[in-house]
Amino acid sequence: MLYDVRTYTCRAGTIRKHLALYAEHGYEVQSRHLGKPLAYMQTETGDVNSYMHIWVYDSAADREAKRQALQKDPDWATYLTKSADAGYLIRQENRLMTPTAFFRP
């Protein structure tokens, strides 16, 4: 099992606009290719301009195949253009993680 943990930071005052843009144009197409995320959360304390989501894959090969299919989808390209044009995001951090030996999801 491979967990793709992604944290994004938005310009101050734009997180609601960014999440609304994603909800309207990105979530469905991304879920169509990657499956539903394990979690999709925004920060309540700390850096309130950030949010994170976690996608789960069977393996690195599974992740690669699903992400390649997503990148080929014209609906995803449309969302990426809208997101870039809006300019809300200022930082992205990705971590690929595996469960510890004692944790069984």
Side-chain angles (χ1 to χ4, degrees), residues 29-36 55-73 76:
V29 66
Q30 195 171 30
S31 296
R32 185 176 359 158
H33 293 283
L34 306 184
K36 296 295 181 190
W55 302 88
V56 181
Y57 303 97
D58 293 332
S59 64
D62 177 46
R63 177 182 179 271
E64 179 67 21
K66 288 178 177 178
R67 291 199 52 81
Q68 281 183 6
L70 174 64
Q71 296 303 320
K72 292 177 185 175
D73 191 314
W76 184 245

Side-chain angles (χ1 to χ4, degrees), residues 11 16 22 36 40 46 48 50 52-53 60 63 65 68 75-76 78 91 96:
R11 284 187 298 112
R16 286 184 184 176
Y22 175 74
K36 296 295 181 190
Y40 213 108
V48 296
S50 67
M52 60 90 62
H53 43 97
R63 177 182 179 271
Q68 281 183 6
D75 292 338
W76 184 245
T78 298
R91 189 174 74 224
L96 298 179

Side-chain angles (χ1 to χ4, degrees), residues 33-44:
H33 293 283
L34 306 184
K36 296 295 181 190
L38 175 66
Y40 213 108
M41 300 174 281
Q42 66 185 84
T43 304
E44 187 170 320

Side-chain angles (χ1 to χ4, degrees), residues 8-11 14 17-23 25-26 40 51 75-90 92:
Y8 295 83
T9 304
C10 295
R11 284 187 298 112
T14 66
K17 292 177 186 178
H18 173 72
L19 291 174
L21 178 72
Y22 175 74
H25 300 285
Y40 213 108
Y51 68 97
D75 292 338
W76 184 245
T78 298
Y79 164 70
L80 291 178
T81 299
K82 288 178 184 294
S83 179
D85 289 348
Y88 301 138
L89 291 175
I90 59 172
Q92 174 181 345

